[in-house]
Each structure stands twice: as structure tokens, then as C-alpha cells.
């Protein structure tokens, strides 16, 4: 296998702050259009897209010398990013280095909150989407399956996930630091997706019992509220009822702000000096950043929470290095094995075609 064929291209929290990652977030429609463009050009023979709050990454197999440049150009045009702007924050690796990177991502070692569990599921979802789309071939099948094995291995044999390393847990720690006992605190959770549910459960595990859920999907809101024993609020009332809540969590997939600074200011005038904690767990952000400048408002976004969690990362520095060594050993073994197996050269295969592709390999040791 030629070292230049397998690659990863993208941008992550390491070099792109939240304001930049908002701009780079690839909408579902734009992702479909990019896949169609690359399929028509034959630039890549395999492709998987990992699109999360902290990273946008394209894992692929190049079918030509200009393949990576074509992926970058197509992505850049769809998010409206200037070439020099993307170049300043771009992640670009190939061959063994790309495999090592994927292994570290899947294991949570490269995460903004090192050791978090959510990324493993997100990587699996990205791979499953590529399989469903027909853009995962023999290289991606094997590399991703081995990444999952490596991630499970380090989570089982190291303490990488020890401590409060999820966004939800760090957010709840912050709420406790500000309010102490969470039992009398009124919490509004806007967003009924996975992050919203995990945050709700983390709040309840620390004693919060006055939860109200709100999302654009009434059916999803009611279903989750029944599961959690929480109240509900119509989405259109989210701003007018802010005065009733002490903690507001934004965890939607909305393309723009769903809580304006003006609405927060209006609520504060009726709160008689009581503090308001705003936890923005969304990307793009749910809460207008200008709200942070208001008196008695504590606004934290994903980057803020990651900074708070940095102390946990420092304490686990030796464990992180141990994980990296274990993952590197497995990545190196896979790289050598791929060479021995003489994987078919991608340029001899037809270009990726949406809806068609080989079935994934079984998850088995090398």
C-alpha cells in the first residue's frame, strides 16, 4: 500500500477555536453535494467523513495525485472558507501517520476532553455512514475496524477514561460550583438529542430534580421528558420563559443562535439579581456570545468547558502517553500488515459511487 494513498484532511479543536469550527461545520446537504462532486471526479476511491463539535475530518483513499487537494477545495467552497484561512488551521496526514491519528481519535486520546467516550460512537457512526453510502472499501474497512479494536483495548487496559471527562459531567460540576445543592435549581434543557439526554441524566445524578425540556421536535421532547420524569416547554416559549430558570443548557443542532442576548437581558431584569448560568454545548453555538457581557450571567461554551477540564488532563498525562504508545504499536502493526497483504491499488478500482460498495470486513484480530 502506497503511503500517500490513505489520508486524513480536516481541522480540529487543536488549531481551530469554536468561532472557526462553527464556520467549518458541514451541513448534511453540503456533505451530500461534496460526496457527489468527488464521486463524479473520481478523485477518491474511498471516503468517510467525521463531523463533530470538535473536528471535521475526511478519511479517504486517494485515486490520484491531486485527490487531497480536490477534497480540500470542495470542502472549502461549501463552507465559505478562504484558502489561506483553511491552510492556517488545516490537519493533513497520510499513510501511517493518518492511521495513528485515527486510532488516537477513536480512543479519545486526541479529544478536547481527553478520555471522553462520545467520540468512539461518533467514529463508528461516520464509518457506518460510509458503508451505507458505498464509499468504504477494503482500506477503510480494515483501518476503521482496527481503530475500534485499538480503542477498546486502551479503554480496557488503561485509566484513560478515569475522572469527569465528558462535556455533560464537566458542565454539571460547574453548576454545582455555582449553586451548590442542585435540588432547588430550575433547569431548562434546550435540545433533546444525545448530548441533551446525557446532560439531563448527569444533572439528575447530582440531585437536580426540577428539569424542563424544550426542543423543536415536540414528539422527541415529550418522549425524553417521560423517560426522565421532567417537564416540557414549547420551543417557541424558550426566550419568554428564561426568567423562570437558573440554569439553561443549549444542546441543539440549530444552524444559528436560538437564545438571543436581548432575551437574556430581558430575563435578568426580572430575576432580582439572581445569577443565571448558561451552558452552551452546541456547535454552531446556541446562545449569542454577547450574553456573556451581562451582569450576573455565567456563559460557558465547549472551549470554556474544555479549559476547565484541563486539570484532569494534566493529572492523567502519564496515562495519555501510555495510551499513545499502545495505539502507535497497533497502528504500526496494521501498517506493516497492509503492506504484506498488497491491498489493490485504488486507481485500478472504479471511483466511489454512492449507494454501492463492498461490505465491511468482520472485526477480528490481525
Amino acid at each position: 500500500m502506497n503511503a500517500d494513498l490513505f489520508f486524513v484532511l480536516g481541522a480540529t479543536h487543536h488549531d481551530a477555536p469554536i468561532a472557526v469550527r462553527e464556520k467549518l461545520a458541514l451541513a448534511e446537504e453540503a456533505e451530500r453535494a461534496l460526496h457527489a462532486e468527488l464521486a463524479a471526479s473520481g478523485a477518491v476511491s474511498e471516503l468517510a467523513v467525521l463531523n463533530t463539535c470538535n473536528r471535521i475530518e475526511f478519511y479517504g483513499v486517494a485515486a490520484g495525485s491531486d485527490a487531497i487537494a480536490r477534497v480540500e477545495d470542495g470542502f472549502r467552497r461549501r463552507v465559505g472558507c478562504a484558502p489561506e484561512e483553511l491552510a492556517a488551521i488545516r490537519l493533513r496526514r497520510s499513510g501511517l501517520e493518518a492511521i495513528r491519528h485515527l486510532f488516537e481519535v477513536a480512543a479519545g486520546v486526541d479529544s478536547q476532553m481527553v478520555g471522553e467516550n462520545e467520540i468512539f460512537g461518533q467514529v463508528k457512526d461516520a464509518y457506518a455512514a460510509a458503508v451505507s453510502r458505498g464509499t468504504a472499501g477494503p482500506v477503510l474497512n480494515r483501518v476503521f475496524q482496527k481503530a475500534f479494536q485499538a480503542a477498546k483495548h486502551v479503554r480496557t487496559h488503561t485509566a484513560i477514561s478515569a475522572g469527569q471527562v465528558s462535556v455533560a459531567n464537566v458542565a454539571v460540576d460547574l453548576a454545582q460550583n455555582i449553586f451548590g445543592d442542585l435540588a432547588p435549581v430550575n433547569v431548562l434543557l434546550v435540545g433533546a438529542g444525545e448530548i441533551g439526554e446525557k446532560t439531563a441524566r448527569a444533572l439528575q445524578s447530582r440531585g437536580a430534580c426540577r428539569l424542563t425540556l424544550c426542543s423543536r421536535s415536540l414528539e422527541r421532547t415529550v418522549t425524553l421528558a417521560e423517560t426522565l420524569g421532567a417537564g416540557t416547554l414549547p420551543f417557541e416559549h424558550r426566550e419568554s420563559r428564561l426568567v423562570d430558570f437558573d440554569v439553561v443548557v443549549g444542546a441543539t443542532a440549530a444552524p444559528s443562535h436560538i437564545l438571543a442576548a436581548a432575551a437574556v437581558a430581558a430575563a435578568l431584569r426580572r430575576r432580582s439579581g439572581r445569577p443565571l448560568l448558561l451552558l452552551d454545548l452546541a456547535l454552531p453555538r446556541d446562545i449569542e456570545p454577547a450574553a456573556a457581557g451581562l451582569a450576573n450571567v455565567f456563559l460557558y461554551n465547549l472551549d470554556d468547558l474544555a479549559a476547565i477540564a484541563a486539570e484532569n488532563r494534566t493529572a492523567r498525562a502519564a496515562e495519555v502517553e501510555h495510551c499513545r504508545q499502545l495505539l502507535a504499536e497497533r497502528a504500526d502493526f496494521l501498517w506493516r500488515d497492509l503492506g504484506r497483504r498488497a491491498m489493490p491499488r485504488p486507481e485500478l478500482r472504479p471511483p466511489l459511487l454512492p449507494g454501492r460498495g463492498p461490505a465491511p470486513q468482520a472485526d477480528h484480530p490481525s
Side-chain angles (χ1 to χ4, degrees):
M1 179 178 176
N2 190 307
D4 291 331
L5 296 182
F6 178 70
F7 68 88
V8 57
L9 170 74
T12 76
H13 61 91
H14 290 297
D15 297 304
I18 193 166
V20 176
R21 298 201 306 276
E22 282 180 328
K23 186 174 182 180
L24 299 180
L26 193 62
E28 185 176 344
E29 183 178 346
E31 183 177 334
R32 285 197 301 268
L34 179 56
H35 271 284
E37 176 185 317
L38 294 174
S41 70
V44 293
S45 59
E46 303 181 38
L47 186 68
V49 182
L50 178 59
N51 191 8
T52 76
C53 291
N54 291 323
R55 66 184 69 243
I56 172 69
E57 293 179 335
F58 301 88
Y59 292 90
V61 179
S65 59
D66 64 342
I68 302 177
R70 281 179 175 268
V71 175
E72 180 176 336
D73 182 64
F75 166 63
R76 182 186 57 74
R77 285 186 283 105
R78 281 172 174 79
V79 295
C81 184
E84 61 275 12
E85 184 180 4
L86 184 58
I89 58 170
R90 179 184 58 202
L91 166 74
R92 179 171 171 171
R93 297 176 185 173
S94 61
L96 174 58
E97 291 304 312
I99 291 177
R100 284 183 173 180
H101 177 75
L102 175 59
F103 279 30
E104 292 192 0
V105 170
V109 173
D110 193 67
S111 293
Q112 193 172 40
M113 293 189 181
V114 175
E116 53 112 348
N117 293 310
E118 288 81 3
I119 187 62
F120 182 78
Q122 291 167 332
V123 174
K124 291 192 73 173
D125 289 345
Y127 170 64
V131 171
S132 176
R133 192 181 292 115
T135 60
V139 178
L140 289 192
N141 286 336
R142 186 156 181 79
V143 171
F144 272 82
Q145 292 288 350
K146 290 303 178 182
F148 301 146
Q149 290 181 8
K152 292 174 183 177
H153 178 79
V154 298
R155 288 183 183 279
T156 301
H157 294 90
T158 73
I160 185 64
S161 297
Q164 304 298 336
V165 294
S166 72
V167 169
N169 281 323
V170 174
V172 174
D173 281 346
L174 188 56
Q176 281 190 308
N177 290 339
I178 293 176
F179 293 101
D181 183 12
L182 295 181
V185 173
N186 292 312
V187 179
L188 175 63
L189 181 61
V190 188
E194 182 180 0
I195 295 297
E197 180 175 356
K198 288 183 177 180
T199 305
R201 293 189 184 281
L203 284 162
Q204 289 183 324
S205 72
R206 309 289 185 87
C209 55
R210 298 182 177 181
L211 266 63
T212 300
L213 305 184
C214 170
S215 82
R216 289 168 293 180
S217 171
L218 179 60
E219 181 180 359
R220 185 181 301 174
T221 300
V222 171
T223 299
L224 182 57
E226 290 177 349
T227 301
L228 298 172
T232 62
L233 178 72
F235 187 72
E236 60 270 21
H237 295 167
R238 65 193 182 282
E239 291 186 323
S240 62
R241 290 283 302 280
L242 277 179
V243 64
D244 298 329
F245 299 96
D246 307 299
V247 177
V248 179
V249 181
T252 79
S256 58
H257 304 140
I258 51 95
L259 291 177
V264 176
L268 286 172
R269 289 193 289 269
R270 300 165 56 197
R271 286 182 57 81
S272 303
R274 288 179 294 149
L276 178 60
L277 173 62
L278 304 176
L279 298 169
D280 196 339
L281 310 185
L283 189 105
R285 284 172 286 184
D286 276 343
I287 304 170
E288 190 175 1
L294 300 171
N296 290 324
V297 168
F298 300 89
L299 172 59
Y300 296 86
N301 61 39
L302 289 169
D303 283 359
D304 299 326
L305 295 176
I308 293 171
E311 185 176 343
N312 283 342
R313 178 174 181 173
T314 301
R316 296 197 312 280
E319 201 65 27
V320 170
E321 185 55 34
H322 181 207
C323 287
R324 286 202 168 101
Q325 291 175 357
L326 291 176
L327 294 167
E329 290 172 3
R330 285 177 166 249
D332 293 353
F333 183 88
L334 172 60
W335 183 246
R336 292 193 298 272
D337 188 54
L338 287 171
R340 288 196 298 269
R341 288 170 182 260
M343 301 290 285
R345 292 184 62 84
E347 57 265 33
L348 300 179
R349 299 173 63 245
L352 59 87
L353 295 175
R356 297 179 58 190
Q361 295 178 347
D363 188 4
H364 57 80
S366 295

